[in-house]
């Protein structure tokens, strides 16, 4: 008896080959075998965890610091740290899960850092429902305390916007902050009043020369 033949089109072969090559190149095959289902090659942005408020660092000593962030859903924090902005030779750490009980925030204690060194770190959140879904990474940076005594520099500011005056983007925004950044201080202290909420800021202010300040 002749066995029935299976007709496979050239298009099906090409699509299957392309998918197999992509899966092998990106390391998806082990995950596919564990999950017993084919992955979505392009995840919808809404399906990925988001980092709506950026990242932050604090409690910085000469050899350690705490970094933290907030996701928009249950997710696990992934942290990478390096002494290079290119993240060359970065160390990778799997942190705690950000859950509803912590308002979807998580923190990680980076240790064994070099003293007096600028540290670059990158945070992502990994979905707890599908470990293949990761948020876009968000970068941060800080400088560890020096191991020996040396001079340090402070900058301070306050009363940033209010009493009729705000940020004029046509003038380059608040350029004083760019000047302060270029001085690379060890500390910046903002003494408060980022706005005066009880003083309305109008959209436009006419200056003495007749020009218009755009808030």
């Amino acid at each position: 008896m002749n066995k029935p033949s299976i007709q496979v089109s050239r298009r099906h072969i090409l699509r299957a080959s392309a998918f197999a090559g992509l899966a092998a190149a990106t390391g998806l095959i082990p995950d596919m075998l564990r999950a017993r289902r084919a992955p979505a090659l392009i995840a919808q942005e809404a399906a990925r965890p988001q980092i709506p408020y950026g990242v932050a660092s604090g409690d910085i000593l000469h050899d350690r610091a705490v970094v933290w962030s907030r996701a928009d859903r249950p997710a696990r924090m992934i942290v990478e740290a390096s002494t290079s902005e290119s993240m060359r030779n970065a160390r990778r750490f799997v942190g705690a899960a950000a859950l509803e009980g912590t308002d979807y925030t998580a923190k990680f204690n980076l240790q064994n850092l070099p003293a007096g060194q600028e540290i670059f770190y990158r945070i992502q959140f990994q979905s707890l429902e599908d470990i293949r879904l990761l948020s876009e990474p968000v970068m941060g940076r800080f400088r560890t305390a020096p191991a020996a005594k040396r001079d340090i520099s402070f900058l301070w500011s306050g009363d940033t916007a209010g009493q009729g005056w705000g940020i004029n983007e046509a003038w380059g925004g608040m350029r004083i902050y760019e000047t302060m950044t270029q001085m690379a201080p060890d500390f910046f202290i903002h003494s408060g009043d980022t706005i005066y909420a009880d003083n309305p800021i109008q959209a436009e202010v006419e200056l003495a020369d007749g020009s218009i300040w755009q808030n």
Side-chain angles (χ1 to χ4, degrees), residues 201-214:
I201 297 179
Q202 303 300 325
E204 297 180 348
V205 178
E206 184 176 353
L207 303 180
D209 62 1
S211 60
I212 301 298
W213 176 278
Q214 301 283 348

Side-chain angles (χ1 to χ4, degrees), residues 116-182:
Q117 174 70 51
E118 194 163 25
I119 303 297
F120 300 87
Y121 65 96
R122 182 165 59 199
I123 290 178
Q124 285 183 289
F125 280 97
Q126 182 183 51
S127 171
L128 295 183
E129 295 182 353
D130 188 337
I131 62 174
R132 297 167 300 174
L133 297 180
L134 292 166
S135 70
E136 287 290 334
V138 177
M139 292 282 294
R141 65 200 294 175
F142 60 86
R143 185 181 303 160
T144 54
K149 292 182 178 181
R150 67 167 176 82
D151 291 339
I152 59 175
S153 60
F154 287 81
L155 291 178
W156 65 273
S157 180
D159 304 337
T160 296
Q163 298 178 337
W165 303 100
I167 298 173
N168 186 347
E169 294 183 349
W171 285 34
M174 293 184 173
R175 291 180 291 182
I176 184 63
Y177 285 99
E178 177 61 25
T179 302
M180 294 159 67
T181 299
Q182 292 172 0

Side-chain angles (χ1 to χ4, degrees), residues 25-171:
T26 57
L28 293 176
I29 288 178
D31 288 339
M32 292 164 55
L33 294 176
R34 284 193 294 268
R36 294 185 180 181
R37 59 189 175 90
L41 295 181
I42 302 177
Q44 292 185 354
E45 190 66 22
R48 304 171 62 186
Q50 306 294 316
I51 303 179
Y53 303 116
V55 298
S57 59
D59 299 324
I60 300 170
L61 302 177
H62 71 280
D63 63 345
R64 68 191 62 199
V66 176
V67 298
W68 69 92
S69 186
R70 182 182 187 274
D72 67 339
R73 71 197 69 186
R76 186 168 300 281
M77 174 184 273
I78 308 294
V79 181
E80 293 177 285
S82 173
T83 56
S84 170
E85 190 170 8
S86 67
M87 300 303 290
R88 181 181 180 184
N89 298 324
R91 293 189 293 162
R92 186 176 187 272
F93 308 93
V94 178
L99 303 173
E100 185 177 7
T102 60
D103 194 29
Y104 305 121
T105 61
K107 62 183 179 180
F108 189 82
N109 187 14
L110 289 171
Q111 302 185 55
N112 300 317
L113 301 174
Q117 174 70 51
E118 194 163 25
I119 303 297
F120 300 87
Y121 65 96
R122 182 165 59 199
I123 290 178
Q124 285 183 289
F125 280 97
Q126 182 183 51
S127 171
L128 295 183
E129 295 182 353
D130 188 337
I131 62 174
R132 297 167 300 174
L133 297 180
L134 292 166
S135 70
E136 287 290 334
V138 177
M139 292 282 294
R141 65 200 294 175
F142 60 86
R143 185 181 303 160
T144 54
K149 292 182 178 181
R150 67 167 176 82
D151 291 339
I152 59 175
S153 60
F154 287 81
L155 291 178
W156 65 273
S157 180
D159 304 337
T160 296
Q163 298 178 337
W165 303 100
I167 298 173
N168 186 347
E169 294 183 349
W171 285 34

